[in-house]
């Protein structure tokens, strides 16, 4: 199983796929500490959304150079953002799987010039349906790397893909 350090390695690999100065959407940013703080230090413009006003408040304090707004991932609309990459670490663990195809299609629409996607999802096939990589590839994102992280209270699959 992968540990927290390897999750950071995935974030580093994600950042290598985008030119510095470009914009990244953190969908379900939480307090901004892991992904947004790292990405901002690397010279990226960070836009973060989260359904929790409290998490957005913390993200604004933790990563003042980022732009944050309260928004539920389920409410995202196709083409609503124009970014160069999308990160969503652990937010998908809170969303019913039946919403994944629409959400991933929306993420693809946010990157009209293509771009990388870094996700953490519940591992395995669920209800005999498609696996996470199958769902992601069906939305047009070929998988670059994936792994399992069980270092915390939850086990999740980390997937790096690119349009």
């Amino acid at each position: 199983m992968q540990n927290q350090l390897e999750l950071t390695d995935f974030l580093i690999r994600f950042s290598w796929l985008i030119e510095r100065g470009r914009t990244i959407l953190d969908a379900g940013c939480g307090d901004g500490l892991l992904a947004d703080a790292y990405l901002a230090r690397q010279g990226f413009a960070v836009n973060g959304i989260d359904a929790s006003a409290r998490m957005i408040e913390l993200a604004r304090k933790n990563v003042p150079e980022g732009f944050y707004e309260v928004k539920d991932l389920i409410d995202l609309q196709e083409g609503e953002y124009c970014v160069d990459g999308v990160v969503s670490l652990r937010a998908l663990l809170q969303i019913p799987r039946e919403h994944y195809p629409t959400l991933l299609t929306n993420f693809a629409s946010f990157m009209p010039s293509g771009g990388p996607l870094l996700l953490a999802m519940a591992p395995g096939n669920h209800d005999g349906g498609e696996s996470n990589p199958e769902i992601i590839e069906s939305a047009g994102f070929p998988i670059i790397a994936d792994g399992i992280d069980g270092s915390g209270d939850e086990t999740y699959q980390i997937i790096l893909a690119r349009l």
Side-chain angles (χ1 to χ4, degrees), residues 77-136:
Q77 300 296 311
E78 192 170 330
E80 186 171 351
Y81 292 90
C82 186
V83 296
D84 301 289
V86 176
V87 172
S88 187
L89 301 178
R90 299 187 186 100
L92 294 180
L93 298 171
Q94 311 304 319
I95 294 175
R97 287 180 68 80
E98 62 263 18
H99 293 286
Y100 287 6
T102 300
L103 189 57
L104 291 166
T105 299
N106 287 340
F107 287 166
S109 79
F110 300 165
M111 297 184 283
S113 300
L117 176 71
L118 181 62
L119 302 175
M121 307 167 79
N125 290 29
H126 302 271
D127 302 325
E130 290 181 299
S131 69
N132 291 332
E134 289 170 331
I135 292 169
I136 292 168

Side-chain angles (χ1 to χ4, degrees), residues 2-145:
Q2 296 186 338
N3 60 32
Q4 186 71 28
L5 226 133
E6 292 177 68
L7 174 58
T8 303
D9 291 341
F10 271 84
L11 193 56
I12 292 167
R13 288 181 71 182
F14 171 86
S15 72
W16 289 343
L17 298 172
I18 307 173
E19 210 178 297
R20 298 300 182 261
R22 298 295 184 163
T23 303
I24 297 169
L25 176 67
D26 187 351
C29 63
D31 64 10
L33 281 177
L34 177 64
D36 299 353
Y38 170 79
L39 293 167
R41 281 193 311 271
Q42 298 305 308
F44 295 104
V46 177
N47 288 359
I49 59 173
D50 199 286
S52 167
R54 175 70 181 136
M55 287 294 113
I56 291 297
E57 181 182 321
L58 289 171
R60 286 177 178 149
K61 287 180 184 173
N62 293 330
V63 189
E65 59 270 55
F67 173 79
Y68 294 98
E69 61 183 320
V70 177
K71 183 173 283 273
D72 193 315
L73 297 183
I74 299 297
D75 297 331
L76 291 174
Q77 300 296 311
E78 192 170 330
E80 186 171 351
Y81 292 90
C82 186
V83 296
D84 301 289
V86 176
V87 172
S88 187
L89 301 178
R90 299 187 186 100
L92 294 180
L93 298 171
Q94 311 304 319
I95 294 175
R97 287 180 68 80
E98 62 263 18
H99 293 286
Y100 287 6
T102 300
L103 189 57
L104 291 166
T105 299
N106 287 340
F107 287 166
S109 79
F110 300 165
M111 297 184 283
S113 300
L117 176 71
L118 181 62
L119 302 175
M121 307 167 79
N125 290 29
H126 302 271
D127 302 325
E130 290 181 299
S131 69
N132 291 332
E134 289 170 331
I135 292 169
I136 292 168
E137 288 181 339
S138 292
F141 292 96
I143 305 295
I144 295 171

